[in-house]
Amino acid sequence: MTEQMNETVEEVLENTEAEQEKNTESAKKEKKCSKKELDEMKKELDSANEKLAEQTDKYLRIVAEYDNFRKRVAKEKEGIYSDAYVDAVKELLPILDNLERAVSFADSGNLGEGVTMTLNMMKDIFAKMGVEEIETDNKEFDPNFHNAVMHVEDEGFGENMVIETFSKGYKKGDKIIRYAMVKVAN
């Protein structure tokens, strides 16, 4: 958009310069110009200068508007990222609270129950956020979802089958959050 404005201003400048050159040439040809003709030429020159001033003003205004737009979009983008970050952390804070409670239950022997409750809460939060676990058990290896960190030859399993999961993978819609780290057979 800025290049088009620059080109428009350059065209106006060239047209103005061309008109000025024509006026200069015609003045040289006719050394004796009447006062009336001289006044008409001055009017034309003043008109061309006004057009140039208008185009320059328009150009400067558009450049300023574009700069303001660019700054506003950058600020909004930063705000969106910040809001998303805060929302995600806010959803995870109850898990931190439950882990702290689970540690306090360690003395009473209910640690397993506290950790199970925390794990279920985490799964519920992920479900609310649209985060899904990537299936790995008895699935064929898919490099779009799995990261093979080990490979074994075992006739008891089919070709390219996932036989063990080292860490689960997660996705949100089509976007992979973390690939599942797996062991693949054959």
Side-chain angles (χ1 to χ4, degrees):
M1 186 156 99
T2 305
E3 288 182 13
Q4 291 176 344
M5 287 183 253
N6 285 336
E7 291 175 7
T8 303
V9 170
E10 287 175 8
E11 289 175 10
V12 169
L13 288 173
E14 288 174 0
N15 290 341
T16 304
E17 289 173 2
E19 287 179 25
Q20 287 175 350
E21 287 177 16
K22 286 179 186 177
N23 290 338
T24 305
E25 288 176 16
S26 62
K28 288 179 183 177
K29 288 180 183 177
E30 300 176 11
K31 290 184 180 180
K32 295 181 181 180
C33 292
S34 68
K35 185 170 182 153
K36 188 176 183 180
E37 289 175 339
L38 188 57
D39 288 341
E40 286 179 21
M41 288 180 176
K42 284 182 182 180
K43 286 180 184 177
E44 287 179 21
L45 180 60
D46 289 342
S47 173
N49 284 336
E50 285 178 23
K51 286 180 184 177
L52 175 62
E54 286 176 20
Q55 291 298 323
T56 303
D57 184 54
K58 283 182 184 179
Y59 169 74
L60 292 175
R61 288 178 189 272
I62 290 172
V63 167
E65 286 179 25
Y66 176 72
D67 190 46
N68 290 338
F69 170 76
R70 189 177 42 81
K71 288 177 185 176
R72 186 174 59 247
V73 167
K75 187 176 179 181
E76 286 174 0
K77 184 178 178 183
E78 183 179 315
I80 289 170
Y81 174 78
S82 178
D83 291 346
Y85 195 85
V86 167
D87 289 345
V89 171
K90 193 183 296 184
E91 290 292 327
L92 296 173
L93 285 177
I95 295 169
L96 178 64
D97 295 338
N98 281 343
L99 285 173
E100 289 172 348
R101 285 186 200 109
V103 169
S104 69
F105 283 121
D107 295 336
S108 66
N110 293 332
L111 180 64
E113 183 181 333
V115 172
T116 302
M117 287 173 32
T118 305
L119 179 62
N120 289 336
M121 180 180 247
M122 183 73 165
K123 288 180 179 180
D124 290 343
I125 288 172
F126 276 176
K128 277 195 256 180
M129 294 173 71
V131 175
E132 302 172 36
E133 185 178 313
I134 296 173
E135 295 286 329
T136 56
D137 295 334
N138 299 319
K139 297 286 182 179
E140 186 173 336
F141 173 75
D142 184 352
N144 295 317
F145 300 109
H146 307 124
N147 180 13
V149 293
M150 287 184 72
H151 182 81
V152 295
E153 294 292 329
D154 191 342
E155 298 300 322
F157 297 100
E159 186 73 22
N160 279 336
M161 292 300 294
V162 174
I163 58 172
E164 187 177 349
T165 304
F166 296 116
S167 66
K168 295 178 179 180
Y170 296 92
K171 65 180 181 170
K172 179 172 175 30
D174 292 338
K175 185 164 179 79
I176 302 297
I177 297 170
R178 181 176 76 184
Y179 291 91
M181 290 178 45
V182 297
K183 181 193 293 187
V184 179
N186 305 324

